[in-house]
């Protein structure tokens, strides 16, 4: 029995040494333009899904059909989320195309809707991704507003979305946030599709200008 335990211990130590050697060698590419292998991607997706599901299972969901809650969520979503997660009529942004892992398009009608899990994700964020923990600066009531908006988002037309944003109190959750007074969302232009011309120009480090 002792021999078996010693063998197992040596095997574990060998794996640790090999793993440390691989990490220290720098062979692992952490560049955001290098996608994970299918196996690593599947492992991370499963870990993310189960982690959120377990922690969200006891969250009580309020009435998400409350129009005031939806309007509140529209202003915050447009200011804080649309640049990554898109808005009705927007098919891509620089952030949505260049982040790894890519942020899910929350306008997708086929997206799985789990309000409690959406709430947990918005509040706590997801480690080692671009998803912040908005609960550090935002009260639960405002987070529920964004969840309520998410429930409506896939069915909204660009004009309906713009109207909700314009009718909202803008970016507000208790601090000195901006007020959205324009009928155009601040996160992205809903009328702009991928490749469409725009007057906005981003100046890049290589001296080139990116129009969008």
């Amino acid at each position: 029995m002792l021999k078996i335990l010693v063998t197992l211990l040596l095997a574990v130590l060998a794996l640790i040494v090999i793993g440390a050697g691989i990490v220290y060698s720098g062979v692992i590419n952490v560049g955001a333009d290098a996608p994970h292998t299918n196996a690593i991607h599947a492992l991370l997706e499963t870990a993310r899904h189960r982690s959120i599901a377990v922690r969200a299972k006891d969250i009580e969901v309020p009435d998400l059909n409350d129009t005031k809650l939806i309007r509140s969520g529209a202003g915050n979503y447009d200011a804080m989320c649309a640049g990554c997660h898109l808005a009705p009529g927007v098919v891509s942004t620089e952030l949505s195309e260049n982040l790894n892992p890519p942020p899910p398009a929350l306008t997708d009608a086929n997206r799985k809707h789990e309000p409690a899990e959406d709430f947990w994700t918005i509040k706590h964020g997801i480690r080692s991704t671009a998803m912040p923990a908005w609960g550090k600066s935002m009260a639960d009531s405002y987070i529920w507003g964004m969840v309520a908006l998410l429930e409506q988002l896939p069915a909204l037309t660009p004009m309906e979305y713009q109207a909700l944003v314009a009718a909202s109190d803008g970016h507000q959750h208790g601090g000195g946030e901006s007020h959205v007074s324009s009928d155009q969302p601040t996160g992205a232009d809903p009328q702009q599709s991928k490749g469409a011309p725009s007057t906005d120009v981003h100046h890049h480090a290589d001296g080139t200008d990116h129009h969008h």
Side-chain angles (χ1 to χ4, degrees), residues 78-113:
D78 193 68
M80 302 163 63
C81 311
C84 289
H85 296 289
L86 310 181
V90 179
V91 300
S92 69
T93 66
E94 284 186 299
L95 286 173
S96 71
E97 288 186 330
N98 296 319
L99 285 173
N100 183 15
L106 300 182
T107 55
D108 185 358
N110 295 317
R111 186 181 79 88
K112 182 182 179 183
H113 286 253

Side-chain angles (χ1 to χ4, degrees), residues 1-108:
M1 183 64 179
L2 180 61
K3 185 177 181 180
I4 294 175
L5 291 175
V6 170
T7 302
L8 288 174
L9 179 60
L10 290 175
V12 170
L13 289 174
L15 288 174
I16 293 173
V17 170
I18 293 171
I22 291 174
V23 171
Y24 191 76
S25 71
V27 69
I28 299 175
N29 185 357
V30 298
D33 56 353
H36 293 299
T37 64
N38 290 337
I40 295 297
H41 178 75
L43 174 64
L44 292 175
E45 282 290 289
T46 301
R48 176 187 61 81
H49 173 71
R50 290 303 306 150
S51 176
I52 296 172
V54 167
R55 287 161 178 78
K57 64 183 177 67
D58 294 326
I59 293 176
E60 294 185 9
V61 179
D63 178 13
L64 300 180
N65 292 314
D66 184 332
T67 54
K68 184 177 180 180
L69 198 63
I70 295 170
R71 281 198 304 270
S72 169
N76 281 326
Y77 179 88
D78 193 68
M80 302 163 63
C81 311
C84 289
H85 296 289
L86 310 181
V90 179
V91 300
S92 69
T93 66
E94 284 186 299
L95 286 173
S96 71
E97 288 186 330
N98 296 319
L99 285 173
N100 183 15
L106 300 182
T107 55
D108 185 358

